[in-house]
Amino acid sequence: MDFSIPEDLRAMVETVRRFVKQDLEPISQQVEDEDHIPEDVVQTMRELGLFGLAIPAEFGGLEVGTLGECLVYEELSKTNACFRTRIGTNNGIGSQGIVIDGTPEQKESYLPKLASGEWIACFALTEPEAGSDAANIQTTAVRQGDHWVLNGRKHFITNGNISDLATVFAVTDKQKRAKGGITAFLVEKGSPGFSVGTIERKMGMRGSHTCELIMDDCQIPLENVVGGEAMVGQGFKTAMKTLDKGRLTMGASAVGSAQKLLELSLEYAQQRVQFGKPIAEFQSIQNMLADMATQIYAGRQMLYHAAWLRDQKGTAVVKEAAMVKLFCTGMANRVADMAVQIHGGMGYMKDFPVERFYRDLRLTRIYEGTDEIQRLVIARELLKEG
Ligand code: COS
């Protein structure tokens, strides 16, 4: 067994770590207050190639592999979560439908723009009646002459308001639904009948926006079915394969944020004096620090292993990806709770970053598949294995 991180990935992690320390962390509170990432920072992200981590090199991406991507997310998640979310959809759910199932023409046409960050992409599956039950989407697509006509409303769409391209899932056969009746469409900003609805108000994740997307007799060219004509009806599988990878990177974000919370807690516990000595000298605080470190260690090991496995086996890590998301996001939420506890009253104040991490991490147990869905996926895979 070789547990070492390859040299090229280590160098990349160093670059991202420097970027986080020098450029992102100093403005993390400003971004929180203004609910907006400054354009010059986004430009540096483009120059570093961060929008194309998961896009093949032949289309201008860095193609760092799943492990490489997870390592970058781990570093980026040590600061305000919105920075990771900004590049997240181009590397994940916004582009991977095209990377996995797109036609050569679709790859040629869209991936270079997504890899460079010139275009932003989003993933429009969720609807008011279709959250965990993704197959219950109500958006329809009907073929009319030389185009498809889409009607429906999506919500909770990350980066939807700033996207140039959306992968929109719609029902093309009401009887078949998930089993051959859902199709994925590439919908460009400005398409007739396509618009952004309400920007949603959230508990956290400031600086990263989610919104409604509305299709009102939205016309899409026939060639914009992901994977082309042969993939009409196969969109649900495209969505599931895309989400598998997202579940690993979500685990990486959770590990990175948990690590940062441990570092903040260690620092605070050694500075904060109560009853005449630093609180780090009390066993009850030490127990929490030890539990945090142990759980982070466990999460990181399973994350790296599952990422490595995906790099060896391609996309077939359904069970492991769900396990990583379930464990790592739960772990990070427990770590965040302990971090607030160690910081005491200060942990509840907006002046300290632990309060922000506590809110932002709560979402990781919900989006890209809830804890309950991960358990369902894991159990199904176990039963299939027999
Ligand atoms: N990879 C490839 N194919 C997959 C797959 C995967 N990970 N998961 C399911 N499929 C296939 C199935 O094999 C089945 O294909 P066949 O018709 O050939 O048998 C088809 O997709 C339908 O799958 P299934 O019957 O399992 O569909 P269900 O409606 O029971 O739903 C769950 C499956 C619950 C797993 C799915 O709805 C889900 O993941 N929900 C959560 C959605 C989510 O994460 N939303 C977050 C917001 S989007 S960011």
Side-chain angles (χ1 to χ4, degrees):
M1 294 170 91
D2 180 4
F3 288 105
S4 55
I5 304 288
E7 190 55 47
D8 55 330
L9 295 186
R10 279 218 300 273
M12 189 182 61
V13 166
E14 260 322 304
T15 304
V16 177
R17 192 171 287 160
R18 256 197 319 276
F19 175 54
V20 168
K21 197 159 170 225
Q22 288 170 8
D23 295 24
L24 303 186
E25 191 50 20
I27 60 161
S28 69
Q29 190 55 44
Q30 174 199 329
V31 166
E32 184 73 6
D33 295 340
E34 295 175 0
D35 197 15
H36 170 75
I37 304 177
E39 185 49 36
D40 60 325
V41 171
V42 178
Q43 184 53 30
T44 311
M45 289 175 163
R46 290 190 190 107
E47 286 159 15
L48 289 172
L50 295 180
F51 284 95
L53 296 168
I55 295 180
E58 62 174 310
F59 301 110
L62 291 185
E63 197 178 350
V64 295
T66 316
L67 179 60
E69 202 185 344
C70 286
L71 291 167
V72 170
Y73 282 142
E74 196 182 328
E75 289 308 315
L76 268 186
S77 302
K78 292 178 180 170
T79 182
N80 197 313
C82 68
F83 297 120
R84 193 260 311 154
T85 310
R86 187 57 169 258
I87 64 156
T89 50
N90 274 37
N91 287 301
I93 53 180
S95 71
Q96 292 306 298
I98 306 174
V99 172
I100 297 169
D101 282 336
T103 62
E105 294 74 26
Q106 289 166 349
K107 291 180 184 182
E108 198 65 57
S109 156
Y110 294 117
L111 293 181
K113 289 184 224 162
L114 299 181
S116 68
E118 180 193 344
W119 275 29
I120 298 293
C122 66
F123 178 83
L125 174 67
T126 303
E127 298 180 6
E129 300 307 321
S132 288
D133 186 5
N136 194 40
I137 55 172
Q138 305 297 312
T139 296
T140 56
V142 177
R143 196 176 171 150
Q144 283 181 6
D146 64 352
H147 55 259
W148 288 88
V149 177
L150 273 62
N151 276 291
R153 182 179 286 259
K154 302 287 178 178
H155 76 167
F156 302 166
I157 307 304
T158 303
N159 288 341
N161 57 323
I162 56 167
S163 281
D164 303 278
L165 181 70
T167 303
V168 176
F169 296 86
V171 177
T172 42
D173 184 327
K174 280 188 179 149
Q175 262 71 48
K176 292 186 183 158
R177 288 198 161 268
K179 297 191 177 297
I182 290 177
T183 302
F185 296 90
L186 294 168
V187 179
E188 291 186 21
K189 177 175 157 183
S191 299
F194 182 61
S195 61
V196 173
T198 311
I199 311 268
E200 285 125 0
R201 296 173 61 232
K202 305 186 298 302
M203 176 198 279
M205 302 297 287
R206 286 176 61 77
S208 160
H209 302 140
T210 65
C211 68
E212 291 180 316
L213 291 180
I214 299 162
M215 279 74 57
D216 184 9
D217 284 334
C218 170
Q219 293 186 18
I220 302 302
L222 294 185
E223 61 269 21
N224 280 27
V225 168
V226 174
E229 181 70 26
M231 288 290 285
V232 170
Q234 299 305 311
F236 192 79
K237 285 184 190 168
T238 301
M240 291 298 113
K241 286 183 278 185
T242 303
L243 285 170
D244 283 339
K245 174 171 159 294
R247 288 168 183 164
L248 284 178
T249 51
M250 193 57 63
S253 303
V255 168
S257 295
Q259 178 64 37
K260 181 68 182 181
L261 285 164
L262 173 61
E263 289 164 14
L264 290 169
S265 300
L266 276 167
E267 198 184 312
Y268 186 78
Q270 289 173 88
Q271 281 168 7
R272 172 72 172 161
V273 174
Q274 288 289 276
F275 303 103
K277 53 184 178 182
I279 61 170
E281 291 183 23
F282 292 103
Q283 201 175 22
S284 56
I285 300 294
Q286 290 176 2
N287 285 346
M288 282 192 271
L289 293 169
D291 283 350
M292 290 160 96
T294 306
Q295 294 185 37
I296 293 167
Y297 180 56
R300 184 178 284 121
Q301 298 313 305
M302 73 188 289
L303 168 72
Y304 288 0
H305 179 260
W308 171 85
L309 205 59
R310 185 177 190 274
D311 286 337
Q312 309 302 308
K313 287 185 13 179
T315 54
V317 291
V318 177
K319 183 181 68 182
E320 291 82 1
M323 287 173 161
V324 165
K325 178 160 191 299
L326 175 66
F327 182 83
C328 292
T329 61
M331 173 277 286
N333 274 269
R334 291 191 295 278
V335 165
D337 191 62
M338 287 187 270
V340 171
Q341 200 65 22
I342 289 170
H343 283 74
M346 284 303 179
Y348 201 66
M349 297 297 131
K350 288 201 176 285
D351 308 332
F352 276 67
V354 290
E355 180 269 347
R356 187 189 72 231
F357 278 105
Y358 183 81
R359 277 184 290 115
D360 290 349
L361 278 167
R362 188 61 187 83
L363 184 61
T364 64
R365 291 183 48 214
I366 298 170
Y367 70 171
E368 298 201 23
T370 61
D371 286 0
E372 292 70 28
I373 287 298
Q374 308 313 323
R375 288 195 172 93
L376 179 150
V377 170
I378 297 162
R380 279 187 182 184
E381 291 299 312
L382 289 173
L383 292 167
K384 255 195 250 168
E385 288 164 11

